[in-house]
Amino acid sequence: MRAPTFDLTLLRTLVAIADTGSVTAAATRLAYTQSTVSMQLQRLEAQLEMRLHERDGRRLRFTAEGERLLAHARHLLTVNDEAWSDMQARQVTGDLTLGIPEDYASLLPSVFAYFHQLYPAVGLTVQCGTSAHLVEQVKTAELDLALVTRQRHSPGGEVIRREPLVWAVGVNQQPLLSDPVPLALYTPGADVFREVAEQALQAAGRHWRVAYTSQSMAGLAPIVTAGLAVVVVTRSMLTPSLRPLDESSGLPALPMIELALHRAPHRPTEPARRLAELIREQLAVPSEG
């Protein structure tokens, strides 16, 4: 007698229903019709000869048996997907160059580690630079990919993430916030942070002076933590030595910035496509307001 085997397609439908909360939403996720999703759920129930769901008004709710199967389904699909990725990953080879500003390197350690685990035969080279310069290097195909702050004068790229900018000072010390406000800013052309900060202050009728400049946060941090200047950062760039200022500081609100992924003009290589997918999955979080 042949041992019974679960149909992973049916289990994936079950998980989609649980994740999205409805047959309609699950159909959209899976690119099925609603009737197909309903029939697959019924087929699973028929195979097991047990009720896996029930209706609570217009809502679908899993029974105790449905919840038990859901836990098994998630485990089986995880093993299946890992096995599939592993077998496919071993076939991906080649070289790949990625450009990122130094300040964004802290966003990607887990991406780099997982990418190397999945694709050990790919030679990944990471190059740091200013966002504007990295965009130009992608355009000339010197880089395969670049994750940068989206530039106002050359937007382009695929927006991966949006983050609010904030004013920050040292966690233990800060300067007087009366005019002229002492600022620690990126050097001109290094990023849009400087432009955004100056425009916000000008619109608010505030005066400022440039106390320190650098092409990276590593260069700006010492003077800020010493309490000698205010800096503009994204929330993900805040460190334990920095404290964000709220509205009571008297400084104007700052807008959102966009992190964009730029690709070289030639057709992306398989390693570039795989890394782009991982970056998108890792960084595509809901925008903060």
Side-chain angles (χ1 to χ4, degrees):
M1 178 180 177
R2 188 174 64 180
T5 304
F6 279 108
D7 184 332
L8 293 181
T9 299
L10 302 184
L11 295 184
R12 201 174 294 278
T13 297
L14 182 76
V15 170
I17 295 172
D19 288 346
T20 61
S22 72
V23 169
T24 301
T28 300
R29 170 188 283 193
L30 299 170
Y32 292 157
T33 63
Q34 293 183 41
S35 59
T36 297
V37 172
S38 296
M39 285 189 294
Q40 288 185 342
L41 182 56
Q42 293 169 6
R43 182 179 166 193
L44 193 55
E45 290 179 325
Q47 290 178 348
L48 292 169
E49 297 182 346
M50 61 181 64
R51 189 72 172 168
L52 301 175
H53 79 289
E54 56 191 25
R55 289 286 178 179
D56 183 7
R58 298 181 62 182
R59 299 182 59 186
L60 182 149
R61 187 170 64 85
F62 286 113
T63 62
E65 290 79 7
E67 292 290 351
R68 286 177 59 196
L69 179 60
L70 180 61
H72 290 302
R74 292 189 188 280
H75 175 68
L76 290 172
L77 289 172
T78 296
V79 173
N80 173 82
D81 294 347
E82 287 178 349
W84 182 267
S85 295
D86 180 67
M87 297 306 296
Q88 292 294 309
R90 303 297 164 176
Q91 302 175 29
V92 179
T93 61
D95 295 318
L96 173 64
T97 55
L98 168 71
I100 54 174
E102 183 179 333
D103 297 329
Y104 293 159
S106 62
L107 295 174
L108 299 177
S110 60
V111 171
F112 294 150
Y114 190 43
F115 185 81
H116 179 68
Q117 177 185 339
L118 289 177
Y119 313 112
V122 173
L124 173 63
T125 300
V126 180
Q127 178 176 324
C128 291
T130 65
S131 291
H133 183 56
L134 293 173
V135 169
E136 291 304 313
Q137 286 185 291
V138 169
K139 289 180 179 178
T140 57
E142 295 175 64
L143 298 172
D144 294 299
L145 299 168
L147 179 68
V148 302
T149 308
R150 202 175 198 192
Q151 305 299 292
R152 294 189 171 191
H153 305 298
S154 57
E158 174 192 359
V159 175
I160 297 295
R161 178 176 180 143
R162 293 178 174 85
E163 286 198 57
L165 290 175
V166 296
W167 303 99
V169 294
V171 68
N172 296 317
Q173 302 182 75
Q174 72 172 66
L176 294 176
L177 300 180
S178 55
D179 289 352
V181 181
L183 300 180
L185 296 175
Y186 287 101
T187 50
D191 221 319
V192 298
F193 290 27
R194 180 181 185 130
E195 178 185 350
V196 166
E198 292 180 339
Q199 288 181 351
L201 289 168
Q202 184 175 7
R206 299 295 303 270
H207 298 282
W208 68 94
R209 66 181 180 85
V210 179
Y212 198 80
T213 63
S214 174
Q215 288 195 350
S216 70
M217 189 59 205
L220 299 177
I223 196 170
V224 177
T225 55
L228 301 178
V230 182
V231 71
V232 175
V233 295
T234 65
R235 291 198 177 276
S236 64
M237 290 166 59
L238 288 168
T239 65
S241 63
L242 295 178
R243 175 173 58 86
L245 295 173
D246 56 28
E247 297 176 357
S248 64
S249 69
L251 296 178
L254 295 169
M256 307 279 283
I257 58 102
E258 297 176 330
L259 275 65
L261 187 64
H262 290 254
R263 297 174 175 81
H266 57 66
R267 182 177 179 180
T269 63
E270 189 62 17
R273 189 180 70 80
R274 299 291 180 101
L275 181 59
E277 289 176 355
L278 286 180
I279 291 175
R280 187 183 301 109
E281 292 171 4
Q282 175 75 14
L283 301 187
V285 298
S287 302
E288 297 180 58

